[in-house]
Amino acid sequence: MITSHNGPQPADFTDVRATNLAVVLRFVRENAPCSRADIAASTGLNKATVSSLVADLIDRRLLRETGLTEHRVGRPATMLVLDGSPYAAIGIEVNVDYITAVAVDLKGEELLNWRRSFPGGTSSAGQAVVAMAALARRVVSRMTKEARQVLGLTVAVPGLVDVNGTVRVAPNLGWRDADLAGDLTKALRDPGFPVLVDNDANLAALAEHRFGPHRNAANLVYVTGEVGVGAGIVMDGRLRRGGQGYSGEIGHIELDPAGPTCRCGRRGCLEAVAGMGAILARTAPDASPSELELEIDEVVRRARNGERDILALLEDVGRHLGRGMAAVANMLNPEVVILGGYYVPLAPWLVACAEEEMYGRVLAPGGGGCRLEVSTLGYGAAALGAAARVLDSVDSGRLPAQR
Amino acid sequence: MITSHNGPQPADFTDVRATNLAVVLRFVRENAPCSRADIAASTGLNKATVSSLVADLIDRRLLRETGLTEHRVGRPATMLVLDGSPYAAIGIEVNVDYITAVAVDLKGEELLNWRRSFPGGTSSAGQAVVAMAALARRVVSRMTKEARQVLGLTVAVPGLVDVNGTVRVAPNLGWRDADLAGDLTKALRDPGFPVLVDNDANLAALAEHRFGPHRNAANLVYVTGEVGVGAGIVMDGRLRRGGQGYSGEIGHIELDPAGPTCRCGRRGCLEAVAGMGAILARTAPDASPSELELEIDEVVRRARNGERDILALLEDVGRHLGRGMAAVANMLNPEVVILGGYYVPLAPWLVACAEEEMYGRVLAPGGGGCRLEVSTLGYGAAALGAAARVLDSVDSGRLPAQR
DNA sequence: TTTAGTTAGTCTTATGGCCAAACAAATGAC
DNA sequence: GTCATTTGTTTGGCCATAAGACTAACTAAA
């Protein structure tokens, strides 16, 4: 079935074509190498139709034929794989002290991963645009040198990004109402590819949904673990942004009216009791945001050494985290909640108690089938997801123009 | 654009046709009476295509031609409206002390609304199936007498319903693992129409999304206000049920670890501090569930009289409710949260403080555009939504067979 | 009363994309 | 060497939409 997902929009055969091109493309990504006959058998499309679709995709260099099968009865099949070489998708992540750029090919293979220090915490959005544009131009020129066409660029920002790509508030960066998508497009002077901006948690969720070990889950939630805590929500196979794009702001769910004061001014917010700030407040109260990574390393070291107070602290954080995740699981019933950011190195001491707390609070039998897992994509999840956002457009059938 | 919303499913012409039939049908529902030319101009479909689609819809008696326009320059247009007469969709709601059945036509006009007392709280699921089947048969025979074809039947159940229509847990009814959809289909002996089962909050949300004053909102949350508190979530224009169908279980989000004990055994759950139980515990601690309606009437009367302790109680409940809704708004960023059930009569004393509390806690600027509103659909929202669930199938292009 | 202008809806033809089935190609099994 | 098997292409048919000509039915104004 076809579902026009945003209201009454009519369909015609170009939509059928786009849908089916996307079906074939996704099938090959998930089952490569495979033959045309495999595709026809599994998708239900007619053999002739598959041949025509594959021809289109080969023309546009999205697919490539590899060798033939051997030693089987019948005519050998020509195998198809994604063609990694001619395209690139760029993802950029801005943060408090660095900008990361990654480029991936259609398969999701990382082509480059550049990290460049940048005083995000003390720079204006305008300065960030200049820095990002410079970095983006270098990435684009590298990709061009490799004879790759850039399909698009997406920027991940830790903050509230509305549906138009305007950064409404980015507390850690000190930005307000910055039209990042527009300004960056201007700074790149007619780049010839779309420039998008989205929230970092949303994009990390997209990365997990596309590349992570739970990529089959149509309903998943990714939780960032920095000083701030945010979530990206995938339901029914797509990122759900809410009415204005601000979904997933779980950091300020109030868990305890008698809890510690949060930087938002209220008490007992999830991020005040289970964010990195809650840990630093008790281990390194004077640390600046840029020292976060070092300090967490130190916490990990002390936990490994079995220091009692640290273990107790982490258990406490884990329990609060579990309570927050129970709220998520009760409200959204995802198949999996994936913990990212600094929750990853801290996971050995957090997850067990968080899970226990969560399962104890989820109403649905068996916790609604919701598991609590740890991200395997590392710190670059948001940047990777930003690139994945670009590939999503291709996946939904908007193929790059034929050359 | 067309989006195949559940994974790689290929499309063909029948899908295009179905999509466009649905587009026309929805357009007429929202803009009746209107002409073929209006449809073509607004949807972008070709005039000839619209004529063909409309002919199909008239053949199947989903549309009807009414008179002509007059006193306008040019050839008068033949106006089209939904044809209410030949079909019916049935919704049934089971509850602690009654079963409600409603039938609506394609326009959503209520054809009948029967309420029949039933000791749901002390009956088994099997007994309920017998009672529902009896009621359903009477409704069907009435509809048949009116020469209407029944398009389907949906049952709304206050409890956890999985994606297959099995009732996993219904605490107020005391049911567990009841295959209601299957059993009811059997009891109706090949009814010739689909029988579905879903959660009452989900279906009430669907009713609001289709018939309510905020029917244009693609992102809305409906909150039930009974002893239990649950939510139905519409995001991006569709009901989102989560991985197993248990989304929206907000009643046991923990708002205060030091709060009163909830019937689930834990402390400070939303429904323990802002559900009807929280009110009854302080006004009529010995009331049985079936007296709920009377007791709430009494609370309303006393609030109208300005009784201090009642007003204070309601303000307290309102504040807790607002905190819970802040969690909802932060996580989902809906355009509107609609309060239903007994929140409706209590709204004059609840909403102002709930709203204040909510806006104070939502991180997004301007509360993310999220409003807190009161349902206007009355107690029958779930049953109405159950019927709406049937109409949704028609709307997505699965038209009833031609006669 | 004629004529021009306007809008509604149908008819004809073309195009694009899918499917079914026949067919060609390339292999293994016997 | 022949047959069975599997792959992928070709052919023809079908279906739905688009474009534009055409018919229909009205108002306005000369």
Side-chain angles (χ1 to χ4, degrees), chain A residues 33 35-36 65-72 75-80:
Chain A
S35 68
R36 292 168 173 81
E65 293 186 337
T66 59
L68 303 178
T69 50
E70 285 168 44
H71 307 301
R72 273 189 359 201
R75 171 176 166 179
T78 48
M79 300 310 262
L80 299 164

Side-chain angles (χ1 to χ4, degrees), chain B residues 186-197:
Chain B
K186 267 179 228 142
L188 289 173
R189 287 198 201 89
D190 190 20
F193 51 77
V195 175
L196 304 174
V197 178

Side-chain angles (χ1 to χ4, degrees), chain A residues 334-358:
Chain A
E335 284 138 60
V336 57
V337 172
I338 299 166
L339 299 175
Y342 293 111
Y343 287 128
V344 177
L346 298 172
W349 301 278
L350 292 176
V351 171
C353 39
E355 214 163 27
E356 187 188 325
E357 203 75 13
M358 183 180 91

